[in-house]
Amino acid sequence: GLELSAGAMGRQDTELQAQWSFPKILGRHFPSDLRFFVTHRDFSVPSSFKEALKGAAFSLRSPDRAHTFTYTAVLRDLLPVTGGVRRASNEVLHSRMRTAKSALTYAYVRDRIGKVPVPREGSFIGLKAEVAGLGGDARHLKASADVERVWLLSNELDMVLNLTGSLGAAVPLKGAGAPAISAAPDRERVHLQDRFFIGGVSSYFTALRGFASRR
């Protein structure tokens, strides 16, 4: 069915969204949805820019929802911070201000931990691969993997051991046009918004001790 929503994703982030959900495709049980969205994200403090997005996305999931294929088409405006306590970095100022991205993404999730505040046992695996370049000016291959394992060491002491890890890589494809400030102007690079940020915002995990978010 049709669902309209508007909300705040953080202190300064907002999103308007219209979503149509389909329980079956061609008579088969493949949950899917079509979304149209307008989003504003504020990374002023950690990354010295804001971002405005307008686009659409279609997602198709396996019956067990472990596998998801998503096609996304989005127009992105990069808005450098021009005032306040922090000014935009040189990397932000020399990035392309408007980009169009058309990408196909595959995601696999196996969650044996569940939505619990303090997990005691279980494991989590998240894999994601993205190909951008079906249209627009964003052209790259990007992949990431996130794993987590929790062991219960002692019931009496309520002690657990939790290990997490993340790995990712992004490689520009021929024709990628993000400018570089420390290399030849025609060097191909991944657009700023598609790179990985220390701090875990680009992955399933949201904390990397010793680093602020999105550095």
Side-chain angles (χ1 to χ4, degrees):
L2 174 63
E3 178 181 334
L4 302 176
S5 63
M9 299 178 293
R11 294 178 62 185
Q12 303 294 331
D13 300 347
T14 58
E15 181 177 56
L16 299 175
Q17 175 179 280
Q19 176 175 309
W20 285 265
S21 299
F22 311 93
K24 294 183 178 180
I25 294 292
L26 299 177
R28 296 181 177 272
H29 184 64
F30 290 107
S32 59
D33 58 72
L34 175 64
R35 298 187 302 115
F36 296 91
F37 55 88
V38 177
T39 305
H40 184 273
R41 297 173 179 170
D42 190 342
F43 304 122
S44 299
V45 175
S47 300
S48 72
F49 71 86
K50 300 179 182 180
E51 184 181 31
L53 305 94
K54 300 177 182 178
F58 176 77
S59 296
L60 178 67
R61 300 174 180 84
S62 61
D64 62 0
R65 296 182 177 270
H67 306 270
T68 303
F69 293 89
T70 302
Y71 171 75
T72 304
V74 59
L75 182 65
R76 308 178 297 185
D77 288 308
L78 185 67
L79 310 171
V81 175
T82 57
V85 296
R86 182 168 186 184
R87 300 298 180 92
S89 66
N90 285 336
E91 185 70 25
V92 171
L93 294 175
H94 287 80
S95 296
R96 185 169 294 184
M97 295 296 110
R98 168 165 286 191
T99 59
K101 179 179 177 180
S102 174
L104 181 64
T105 303
Y106 165 74
Y108 169 76
V109 173
R110 192 191 71 178
D111 189 353
R112 303 290 172 81
I113 296 178
K115 306 295 184 182
V116 294
V118 182
R120 295 169 63 84
E121 276 190 299
S123 62
F124 174 91
I125 299 176
L127 306 175
K128 189 174 183 180
E130 178 180 87
V131 180
L134 308 176
D137 50 44
R139 298 178 178 89
H140 62 259
L141 297 175
K142 185 176 180 180
S144 62
D146 299 289
V147 295
E148 181 176 9
R149 184 68 170 92
V150 183
W151 292 272
L152 177 63
L153 301 182
S154 171
N155 258 323
E156 292 75 12
L157 299 177
D158 198 22
M159 182 183 299
V160 300
L161 174 63
N162 189 332
L163 298 179
T164 64
S166 298
L167 180 68
V171 180
L173 298 176
K174 185 176 182 180
I181 63 175
S182 59
D186 59 348
R187 179 182 175 184
E188 298 171 347
R189 303 183 76 198
V190 175
H191 286 309
L192 178 66
Q193 301 97 311
D194 298 311
R195 301 174 195 169
F196 291 96
F197 289 80
I198 292 177
V201 174
S202 300
S203 68
Y204 289 97
F205 305 112
T206 58
L208 183 60
R209 298 187 184 280
F211 294 90
S213 176
R214 289 191 65 85
R215 293 295 185 183

